[in-house]
Amino acid sequence: MDHYDSQQTNDYMQPEEDWDRDLLLDPAWEKQQRKTFTAWCNSHLRKAGTQIENIEEDFRDGLKLMLLLEVISGERLAKPERGKMRVHKISNVNKALDFIASKGVKLVSIGAEEIVDGNVKMTLGMIWTIILRFAIQDISVEETSAKEGLLLWCQRKTAPYKNVNIQNFHISWKDGLGFCALIHRHRPELIDYGKLRKDDPLTNLNTAFDVAEKYLDIPKMLDAEDIVGTARPDEKAIMTYVSSFYHAFSGAQKAETAANRICKVLAVNQENEQLMEDYEKLASDLLEWIRRTIPWLENRAPENTMHAMQQKLEDFRDYRRLHKPPKVQEKCQLEINFNTLQTKLRLSNRPAFMPSEGRMVSDINNAWGCLEQAEKGYEEWLLNEIRRLERLDHLAEKFRQKASIHEAWTDGKEAMLRQKDYETATLSEIKALLKKHEAFESDLAAHQDRVEQIAAIAQELNELDYYDSPSVNARCQKICDQWDNLGALTQKRREALERTEKLLETIDQLYLEYAKRAAPFNNWMEGAMEDLQDTFIVHTIEEIQGLTTAHEQFKATLPDADKERLAILGIHNEVSKIVQTYHVNMAGTNPYTTITPQEINGKWDHVRQLVPRRDQALTEEHARQQHNERLRKQFGAQANVIGPWIQTKMEEIGRISIEMHGTLEDQLSHLRQYEKSIVNYKPKIDQLEGDHQLIQEALIFDNKHTNYTMEHIRVGWEQLLTTIARTINEVENQILTRDAKGISQEQMNEFRASFNHFDRDHSGTLGPEEFKACLISLGYDIGNDPQVLASCMEHAQGWPPGREITRVSPFSLLSLSASPCFPFPVGRGARPLLLSPPGPCWAPPSTTLTSALGCLSWEPARCPPSSLLTALHPVDGFLHLPAPSYAFLWTFSPDVYLHLFLLCSSPPPDLQTVRLVLPSGPLCPVFLAPGRPFLLSPLTFLVSWCHCPTEEDRHDGHG
């Protein structure tokens, strides 16, 4: 055939690629199944003159469903219900489903209610079940049926065709060549297969569907677009469609086969007569042999020996092996000949063959049945007899074997069960013994079957009349008695073990309870002993009162603690009572704790002894703290008076130095009276020192009754003394300056009034702007040059050039007016202030100390050290102060000028790198910086001098 491709004949054997299973979820199957199943149903309903339009609606009342089943099965179903109610519809559908089930179809999850409710999924599933049963199930090809048979039929029919590879009922049909190949294979005149192309599936499918509908009476069940437009066509729809092709072509093939058989009928008729004769002869011979054999098989005479029964069995086996098989072959051949003859006669429309009387097939079958029955009975009898004899021997051997095994197992078990090892065992050992005993009980229960088997075997031997039954019965009775004894001993041992376990568990619980309560109680006693013996350090009466309160609270807990102690000892006594009552042999002490009742009682007694000792210690400490509190109050009362007194005196001295009341001599007299009253206050300071000494000896570190400490009082007292001495010194210097320059009292008052007027904050000092305004008020116009103002402040304060000056004191203002290098005329006439005199400014050796010091003060860079040293009369490395008892001294070092006010009476200085020795006199105020006093006692004071000047230094002007 030119449309076949021999090279492609094996293509259908190639497996196709795995299909993407995710596409199985595509709902397009419902549309395809609806259309296919509807067309398939209508192809059969048309025979009854009806059809359906909507598959889930038209089958809801069950009438067309029953009609469809009658058409495709050819059988009548029960009379349908004609009512319109739901119950009538369910009844009709149930009749249809019952009919389907009667055909061997198992309906899973399909009920009448779902069909009546129009459930599409269930309706389609039901129709598919009907199609499988009535259209596909009966398909059989080469020992395969249903789906596999249909697939194999398609593969066989399409194998020779090019581009056709049928492997399934979905994508293998998508290109339409499979449908066209089936039609061309059976009706080649309907399709020109050579013009079909694989890449034109729509044309192929439409061609196949149209030809099948027009010439093969196969309705169009699918549209070509439904198949091509779906990734995977619905398998059920394709199978239904293909099954219609199978039935259409297989019917034509059957008609052809029938025609060939008609031709063969004539040849068969010639053989019929010969077959009739052969049947008669074979039937007669077979019946005769059966009549002779049956009496031999019915002989049931028993034999007493195994050998005789085995001989009979051997004879029967010879019969079955040698004599019967030929007769079976003859009987089979006879039936074959008879059936063949009858078939040929029936096919040729001739009357059936009737054998002579007594030789019918039924007669032969009846006789053969009797033979078989006799043979079966004879065989059963032989086998039963042999089994009986064999069983007797087997049972006797089995009895002996099981009895020996059981007796070996029970050996020593009674002695083991009578042991009383549990009497001296611990709780863990008792539990282990119980586990071991439970295992033995399980083993014993397992051997129960063996004992029962031994008894059953003995009983069966008796029933079968075993010759040695007496010895078997005696041995069996002994085993049973021993077994009963083992059971009783097992139960008794279990009860003893459980009783002992219960007692030991009770003791163990008591031990555990004892340990749980004894451990914290022991810890409490140890903590109590530690607290009672612990030393305490308190500083206030509140702290000792807190300790006393805590101790009283502790003593209040002692009765409850004693109750707890008695309860713990009671637990231990309960254990002793159980041991004595039940005679329990306790191996060891409490496993949960090492705390003994003796230890608890010993610690409790120790605690009771420590309590009064603690009471005494707290009482003594309380008395000591009360004494300390009295010392605090005593010191605080005095300090609260002395501290404010010192502050008041400091303020009063400050007011005296600022206010203008009387002459300088009056102020000096007033200040000396203040100094005397301050000195007279010294005994109270000494008394406060004594109280402070007592407080220090008592180790008292704080005092809530006052904010003053002794150190504060000391510093304030020293500052008070220093302030009054400094103030007196300032007034004395003012008197010296006034007398030296001839300044009148009115001028002094004017200086003071101007200074107080511009001292807005009453601090006792003037700032740069206040100082400038004060000079202007006194008649000195220094202009607006900041450098001139700074220089004036430096000259007034006696500060080195370049050092920043922020405040100026009243005495500085007076010193500025008394400067020898820059004499300021007294008066209101304003004129410029000269800061630098013309020519060098240094004093000859005969110059007074005041002139030398003034020169050094105003022009330190231009004042040679020889002027100062000459004025101070250096002799053998010493500097001697001049005759005046009060003077002010300027000294210098390489970097720092120190302004030192000395208040002394002709002190002899000792110059060793300028060391001033002040052996006597009051405290000396020293100013390292403006406003920062540093108090000196009459001891050695180092002035920070680098070295003594040499002659070379005197000549070149370097100090």
Side-chain angles (χ1 to χ4, degrees), residues 122-138:
M122 294 300 176
T123 304
L124 294 176
M126 178 190 67
I127 298 302
W128 173 244
T129 303
I130 294 173
I131 293 172
L132 281 178
R133 172 60 184 86
F134 294 101
I136 298 177
Q137 180 176 327
D138 294 335

Side-chain angles (χ1 to χ4, degrees), residues 782-797:
I782 62 174
N784 295 321
D785 190 348
Q787 293 183 354
V788 174
L789 176 62
S791 178
C792 289
M793 292 184 71
E794 290 170 1
H795 287 296
Q797 194 72 358

Side-chain angles (χ1 to χ4, degrees), residues 201 232 308 822:
R232 177 179 177 178
F822 304 96

